[in-house]
Amino acid sequence: MGDIRISTALHASADLAQEVTGLVQQLSTTAAPLTVDALAELIASDSATLLIASSDTCVVGMLTLITYRIPTGIRARIEDVVVNESARGKGVAFELTRAAVDLARNVGARTVDLTSRPSRESANRLYQRAGFSPRDSLTYRRTLDGYASPMQTGQAISY
């Protein structure tokens, strides 16, 4: 594997949607394939930055950095970190994480949060090497029945 390049996804294409879908399927067995329209919506979002790790001509990893303002300041969160099985153990996730932290710092975030299951031992070691520390906090989730993601359907959300 050649040099790893980290870049921000700026344009949606069928090829990139296919590459991202392939990575997402390694992360989640229940995720639907990403359409070009859904990828375009993600890339156009003011709150999400899709970082792509590539080597030579292929995508080997990705990470999504979410940044948003709330009354107490700017928050940053790392989501959907995945490295292709063939590129694992070669520093790709570390480089993606470092780039995300730099981006968060540049937009004024004081902290960057992420979650990782305890069973993902290598990922947890990586995050600690990258300067993250566990928080004394609980994560709660509520699954919404009958929810179809606009990212999957290509529909706009209106309230």
Side-chain angles (χ1 to χ4, degrees):
M1 190 165 84
D3 291 331
I4 299 166
R5 291 176 306 284
I6 308 298
S7 59
T8 300
L10 300 175
H11 306 287
S13 68
D15 288 342
L16 184 58
Q18 184 176 1
E19 296 265 18
V20 169
T21 293
L23 289 170
V24 168
Q25 289 173 342
Q26 292 180 53
L27 183 66
S28 169
T29 58
T30 60
L34 192 67
T35 66
V36 175
D37 288 342
L39 179 60
E41 186 178 342
L42 172 65
I43 291 170
S45 171
D46 290 335
S47 62
T49 302
L50 179 62
L51 295 177
I52 299 293
S54 57
S55 176
D56 303 323
T57 59
C58 64
V59 172
V60 295
M62 66 174 212
L63 174 154
T64 306
L65 177 68
I66 308 299
T67 55
Y68 54 98
R69 179 174 289 283
I70 59 174
T72 56
I74 297 173
R75 298 286 186 212
R77 181 168 192 79
I78 291 174
E79 293 285 350
D80 290 350
V81 181
V82 61
V83 174
N84 192 307
E85 288 177 333
S86 66
R88 291 182 187 160
K90 299 178 181 174
V92 175
F94 187 87
E95 292 301 322
L96 283 163
T97 303
R98 184 167 63 174
V101 168
D102 288 345
L103 283 172
R105 184 181 294 113
N106 290 341
V107 300
R110 287 184 334 159
T111 60
V112 180
D113 292 318
L114 58 83
T115 60
S116 184
R117 289 187 304 274
S119 63
R120 297 186 66 220
E121 293 175 9
S122 62
N124 286 298
R125 284 191 304 272
L126 164 102
Y127 297 134
Q128 290 180 24
R129 279 195 322 270
F132 288 79
S133 56
R135 292 185 70 189
D136 186 18
S137 179
L138 296 174
T139 299
Y140 293 90
R141 173 175 289 167
R142 180 175 174 184
T143 300
L144 304 177
D145 295 334
Y147 176 74
S149 166
M151 297 295 285
Q152 294 169 350
T153 63
Q155 297 175 358
I157 301 174
S158 61
Y159 297 94

